[in-house]
Amino acid sequence: MAEETVLGHLEHNQEIPDSGVFSQEKGINHDELVNVIKSLNGFGLVIAADIKREKWLLSDEAQSYVKYGSAEVLIFEAVPAEGTAKAKLQDIVKSKLPADLDDNTKSLIYDKGWAQAMKNKWIGLADSQVSQKVEHVEDRVKDLLIQIQNGEAVGAKDIDALKRRRLISLQIWKGYSVKKGPNYAPKRRKAVTDLVRDHLQRDEWKDIEFKEYNFLAKGQPTEGGCLHPLYKVKLQIQMIFLQMGFEEMPTNNYVESSFWNFDALFQPQQHPARDSHDTFFLKVPSTTNSLPEEYVERVKTVHESGGYGSRGYGYDWKREEANKNLLRTHTTAVSTRMLYALAQGPFTPKRYYSIDRVFRNEAVDRTHLAEFHQIEGLICDRGLSLGHLRGVLEDFFSRIGMSKLKFKPAYNPYTEPSMEIFSYHEGLKKWVEIGNSGMFRPEMLRPMGLPEDVQVIAWGLSLERPTMILYGIDNIRDLFGHKVDLSLTKRNPICRLGLN
Amino acid sequence: MPTVSVGRDRLFAALGRSYTQEEFEDLCFKFGIELDDVTTEKAIIRKEKHLEEEEPSEDEEVIYKIEVPANRYDLLCLEGLSQALRIFAGLDPIPTYTVATISKESMLKMHVKPETSQIRPYVVCAVLRGVTFDETRYNSFIDLQDRLHQNICRRRTLVAIGTHDLDTIEGPFTYEALAPKDIKFTPLKQTRNFSADELMEFYKKDLKLKKFLHIIEGSPVYPVIYDQKRTVLSLPPIINGAHSAITLKTKNVFIECTATDLTKANIVLNTMVTMFSMYCERKFEVEPVEVTYTDGRSYVSPDLSFYQMEVPLSYLTKLIGVSLPAHESACLLNKMQLHAKHSISEKNEASFTISVPPTRSDILHLCDVAEDVAIAYGYNEIPKITFPSVKPQLLNKFSDLIREEIATVGYTEVLTWILCSSKEISTMLNRAEDKTAVINGNPRSADFEVVRTTLMPGILKTVGHNKDHPKPIKIFEVGDVVQLDEKKDVGASNYRKLAALHCGSTSGFELIHGLVDRIMEVMGTPFVSPGDKTGYYIESSNEPEYLKGRQAHIIFKGEKIGTFGIVHPQVLHNFDIPDPCSFVEIDIEKFL
């Protein structure tokens, strides 16, 4: 109704100069008119310009003054010419006030009038007797209030005085002047949110108008699945290994015997890693069914008394210990099986890698889980040196964004020399340990049947560590396991490892 | 890895200089140990008592907690650690440990009774003469025993050490295994006599000792060592007798190691005597003890002989990957406490005879010698030797990663032609002639006039030809467009673009907007306010191929990288598409 009036008026007129006037002329509620103007302005049908007007509004008290005269005049007039006792004055005033006023209002008028009349020195008080001090008073306050009510200009001093008596207050009136907008039409077309088939079929698309789209908000979230961040990283690292000429080892065997997990790696049977508080030993199936006997014999000998240039550990090697089943503590158990298999034929150089689950009987905390993923790479060839190991590590780690490396001597039962790998962390401004590496000991390789001049250089690290560094995760449980927040997995960006 | 706590000032005094923490950490790193923590004794006590808020006072002695390799038992005390570092720094020669020359008759004897084979069959012994203890040395002596017990001794199961004031006892000694009730003595720190079975009960309440009881508990016989007067020296591996306890005043120390593993017993004994023989009157000299068995077997302990190994120089240089002159190799070997005698073999090859001191039980093989040379040379000084490997093509690998992400949110890949007609990239898209396009000189048909400058026509043609496909149709393509480029030798360059389209009963404008958000999310780019150059925002646009008011530019790090919107109905009509479509095209090279 109001919208049609506005658009209709503008069809024949330049503008609506004042919405306040317009609302009175057309008999439309001004608030309703304002809403219509705002909406039309939003769609560009009209251009609305703000009009702001200040208006003095009379308080209820002031309105009673307009009607009955100001309180001070009422008081003055209530005082008889001969004067009266102050105690009686209130009753006189109240009796002169119109009967339709309630007693509270009458009391208020009395109080205010008394104070003001005294202040004006119209009346005086002596020995509890009130008397007029002037002969005649003019009700200027009433006159001023009437002028203000009529919208006439009043001096600033008077306004100030009335404001202080809280008889008037300022009200800001808002309205608009309205002109045709760029999208003006005598009648508004229906606004839609999306283009639909009907618009095309009925050729309505030229006439439709779209609701304003908020580009400050996001679009409708996509639906679909997401891959786990850890496996996204895994995929990239696999790609890196392939580019470096490494072949993946089959690692789908979590249950392993102590023999392949430890003994074959020249890890002595009293080694702390073989304690039950580091390794999950199995109740069922508790022992391995078979081991390659000739190889076992060579492993036993190398532990007990050495050979291949080694002193050995000089202890009684026990078959029962080797038979004990466990959940593999490292994927090096798989590497060992692969190297043993390799040694059974004529020697060919190999580069192997794996990325898979390993198990440790550890207390779970921010940086440790009872299971995690191990990344392992190894090169088996003739004439390999520590220089080669450094070279391959620099190549590998620079591809995962860790190009500043240094190496620390370390001890590991199955590698010698052993090098702990440290990377400089730009964020933490310090060197952090990221993995281990070394050359497999002859005591590990020779009993397998590998030729004397064949070396194996190898390195290992967890998949979780670089992933946590990469995505800024400081609690491993936020990355891996059932406590992971699914929305985190969904929000996870693509992994660009290997693309630098 | 085991951790050794040593007073910093005492360590520096032993090293003959002081270090800043950084310098010391660097030295540790090169040598293969690690400064794990810097603390004070009082801080440790405060931590134990949870009094961390207490202010540390200035005069507290600084303690370095140093992690040492698990096979270097000679580094488990201040004496060994400082000695190894001094030799590493070239300050000291390798000490020569000697076994005192004494005639068999005057040698102390330990006789082993056959019953011990049931429970703990081995014992090795030695004597340190004329030892000067002070409080620090004494504490270090006790601490070393604790650390050996924890590590190589596997919590006393394999080896247990007993140390005694030799002047309170009298040899020959006997190592026996007796019924618990028959063993009676006053143990260390107690004042009354206990029988061994009584003692086992008593120690069940002892926090420190109860964890060792299982080693002999339940056995019909317990191991015990007596002197000539039947004074109990010890009840291994549980406790020593009070009678022979060593004190600060002790001058002559008798050490016995009982074991189930003779190799480890010898290593432990050697570690004890080599470390503390430096405080003997005759420095680095140890007095031997003869161990005899009832069956006639006997040996003299300790065995401080050097283990000899022949190492060709070429073995070392090949394994490390550096060429080293013989004299330099010898110096490096010496720094790691290995004596090296240079010789030339028959084949005229340089070779070394390596003598491994009794402190270096970790040297099992030539590869261990090679590691030591590499450490002394410096791991980080070894030149890198690289293997041939290949690098991925960044743009293509990256495109593949994006393609997977778009597919996983439900868009099907299309692969359209590079060539198209010139009107398909101009008038049919409501656009003026595309002056940036590469124009084919001899097209067989109008379909091959130009090389595409946008993925839009290919995608729209796909929709136009799949009218019968159930709606919505959600497709995408990642591919190259070509535009004229003066900077290129041939005058034109490829640009990698991503385009996606939604077509259905509604245009799916908000869905395409959502896809834009998703692409930005997988790029790891935050949504920011307009004007902010740290992420991306959307800014309404006015392109002719899109419907007015329903289109926007994508601003990524301050740069326009693409546009999305409802495809203009006229354009849809041009491509014979009856259903509304929304489309996005992004320049993905900007993400690299």
Side-chain angles (χ1 to χ4, degrees), chain A residues 432-490:
Chain A
V432 291
E433 194 206 325
I434 45 167
N436 262 303
S437 69
M439 302 178 84
F440 284 160
R441 293 192 70 100
E443 293 96 325
M444 170 181 173
L445 300 179
R446 298 292 305 285
M448 291 174 173
L450 285 170
E452 192 177 354
D453 57 348
V454 166
Q455 279 88 32
V456 175
I457 55 178
W459 74 99
L461 66 154
S462 82
L463 177 61
E464 284 77 1
R465 190 79 187 265
T467 306
M468 287 167 75
I469 293 173
L470 193 65
Y471 293 120
I473 298 168
D474 64 352
N475 186 341
I476 194 166
R477 289 166 290 193
D478 290 340
L479 176 67
F480 173 39
H482 54 274
K483 289 180 181 166
V484 169
D485 178 4
L486 287 179
S487 53
L488 241 145
T489 302
K490 287 185 180 172

Side-chain angles (χ1 to χ4, degrees), chain B residues 169-180:
Chain B
I169 46 180
E170 207 174 307
F173 307 102
T174 52
Y175 178 37
E176 307 176 20
L178 300 174

Side-chain angles (χ1 to χ4, degrees), chain A residues 61 65 69-77 86 89 107-124 133-134 137-142 144 158 160-167:
Chain A
E61 187 188 346
Y65 291 0
S70 67
E72 57 267 37
V73 170
L74 288 173
I75 295 290
F76 178 78
E77 284 170 354
K86 183 171 188 282
L89 187 62
S107 299
L108 186 82
I109 289 173
Y110 170 78
D111 290 344
K112 295 226 168 171
W114 169 263
Q116 197 60 38
M118 284 295 284
K119 196 177 157 201
N120 291 355
K121 299 206 167 83
W122 289 352
I123 54 173
K133 290 285 178 194
V134 290
V137 295
E138 266 178 40
D139 200 345
R140 228 182 134 245
V141 167
K142 180 181 168 181
L144 285 168
D158 290 326
D160 208 42
L162 294 174
K163 226 166 79 186
R164 261 189 278 121
R165 285 182 67 179
R166 297 191 186 175
L167 291 171

Side-chain angles (χ1 to χ4, degrees), chain B residues 339-461:
Chain B
H339 294 279
K341 210 175 116 201
H342 184 206
S343 60
I344 304 288
S345 76
E346 288 163 15
K347 291 181 207 157
N348 208 24
E349 282 172 347
S351 185
F352 293 108
T353 304
I354 308 281
S355 301
V356 182
T359 44
R360 295 299 308 277
S361 58
D362 59 298
I363 304 279
L364 301 178
H365 189 276
L366 296 188
C367 65
D368 298 289
V369 176
E371 182 185 74
D372 273 10
V373 174
I375 293 170
Y377 182 81
Y379 273 3
N380 298 295
E381 309 306 320
I382 300 168
K384 284 167 259 188
I385 303 168
T386 48
F387 292 92
S389 64
V390 296
K391 290 269 181 178
Q393 195 42 251
L394 171 58
L395 181 61
N396 287 347
K397 275 284 164 197
F398 179 68
S399 300
D400 290 346
L401 289 172
I402 292 197
R403 286 173 49 243
E404 274 175 38
E405 290 289 347
I406 311 276
T408 55
V409 292
Y411 288 75
T412 300
E413 188 166 34
V414 297
L415 202 52
T416 68
W417 293 340
I418 307 291
L419 299 177
C420 60
S421 72
S422 70
K423 66 176 187 191
E424 282 167 353
I425 57 166
S426 56
T427 51
M428 285 178 76
L429 297 179
N430 284 355
R431 291 182 186 174
E433 188 194 340
D434 192 340
K435 297 248 170 65
T436 68
V438 169
I439 302 163
N440 210 341
N442 53 345
R444 282 212 169 219
S445 85
D447 287 341
F448 313 130
E449 284 170 342
V450 293
V451 180
R452 68 184 177 189
T453 54
T454 158
L455 301 180
M456 199 171 195
I459 296 233
L460 291 176
K461 283 192 278 186

Side-chain angles (χ1 to χ4, degrees), chain A residues 316-381:
Chain A
D316 290 330
W317 186 87
K318 293 191 179 69
R319 175 64 182 258
E320 308 87 81
E321 280 298 319
N323 284 348
K324 283 182 183 169
N325 274 343
L326 45 78
L327 292 173
R328 69 171 177 224
T329 63
H330 50 191
T331 50
T332 318
V334 175
S335 312
T336 308
R337 283 179 180 268
M338 292 299 285
L339 289 170
Y340 172 72
L342 186 66
Q344 304 319 299
F347 179 71
T348 42
K350 281 283 179 190
R351 293 180 196 187
Y352 284 131
Y353 84 91
S354 65
I355 306 172
D356 210 340
R357 202 71 64 93
V358 296
F359 305 85
R360 302 277 168 93
N361 197 3
E362 284 198 71
V364 171
D365 63 26
R366 293 182 78 79
T367 52
H368 294 88
L369 290 179
E371 42 186 297
F372 61 95
H373 296 83
Q374 187 188 338
I375 303 170
E376 181 165 343
L378 67 89
I379 301 177
C380 176
D381 205 344

Side-chain angles (χ1 to χ4, degrees), chain A residues 81-251:
Chain A
E82 68 279 10
T84 180
K86 183 171 188 282
K88 286 184 183 168
L89 187 62
Q90 190 163 355
D91 290 337
I92 299 168
V93 172
K94 282 187 177 175
S95 69
K96 286 196 173 185
L97 281 169
D100 56 335
L101 287 178
D102 64 57
D103 199 56
N104 269 352
T105 314
K106 285 177 181 175
S107 299
L108 186 82
I109 289 173
Y110 170 78
D111 290 344
K112 295 226 168 171
W114 169 263
Q116 197 60 38
M118 284 295 284
K119 196 177 157 201
N120 291 355
K121 299 206 167 83
W122 289 352
I123 54 173
L125 180 65
D127 300 334
S128 303
Q129 285 289 310
V130 185
S131 57
Q132 291 184 337
K133 290 285 178 194
V134 290
E135 292 200 354
H136 175 72
V137 295
E138 266 178 40
D139 200 345
R140 228 182 134 245
V141 167
K142 180 181 168 181
D143 294 345
L144 285 168
L145 290 172
I146 289 168
Q147 281 173 35
I148 287 166
Q149 200 174 31
N150 292 342
E152 291 164 37
V154 172
K157 254 187 165 174
D158 290 326
I159 289 285
D160 208 42
L162 294 174
K163 226 166 79 186
R164 261 189 278 121
R165 285 182 67 179
R166 297 191 186 175
L167 291 171
I168 57 168
S169 59
L170 193 65
Q171 193 199 40
I172 295 166
W173 180 88
K174 279 182 189 166
Y176 295 98
S177 73
V178 183
K179 282 195 286 202
K180 277 183 192 169
N183 302 331
Y184 174 78
K187 195 161 187 275
R188 189 191 336 212
R189 284 166 296 190
K190 204 177 165 207
V192 298
T193 52
D194 200 359
L195 185 71
V196 302
R197 188 180 290 139
D198 284 354
H199 297 138
L200 296 177
Q201 281 174 352
R202 295 186 199 147
D203 217 20
E204 287 173 347
W205 60 270
K206 285 176 187 137
D207 298 320
I208 57 166
E209 197 166 322
F210 288 103
K211 280 198 182 133
E212 204 176 357
Y213 194 78
N214 180 11
F215 288 115
L216 297 176
K218 285 196 175 185
Q220 194 170 322
T222 50
E223 281 180 21
C226 301
L227 295 177
H228 194 280
L230 208 51
Y231 271 20
K232 287 202 223 178
V233 175
K234 178 182 160 186
L235 192 68
Q236 293 307 106
I237 292 176
Q238 281 177 315
M239 177 193 79
I240 291 170
F241 273 118
L242 294 175
Q243 286 160 355
M244 291 174 65
F246 285 67
E247 173 183 337
E248 189 167 13
M249 293 184 275
T251 47

Side-chain angles (χ1 to χ4, degrees), chain B residues 115 118-119 177-183 196-197 215-223:
Chain B
E115 295 77 25
Q118 295 173 53
I119 175 79
L178 300 174
K181 62 173 174 34
D182 297 336
I183 304 169
D197 45 3
I215 305 171
I216 55 168
E217 204 176 17
S219 166
V221 288
Y222 286 177

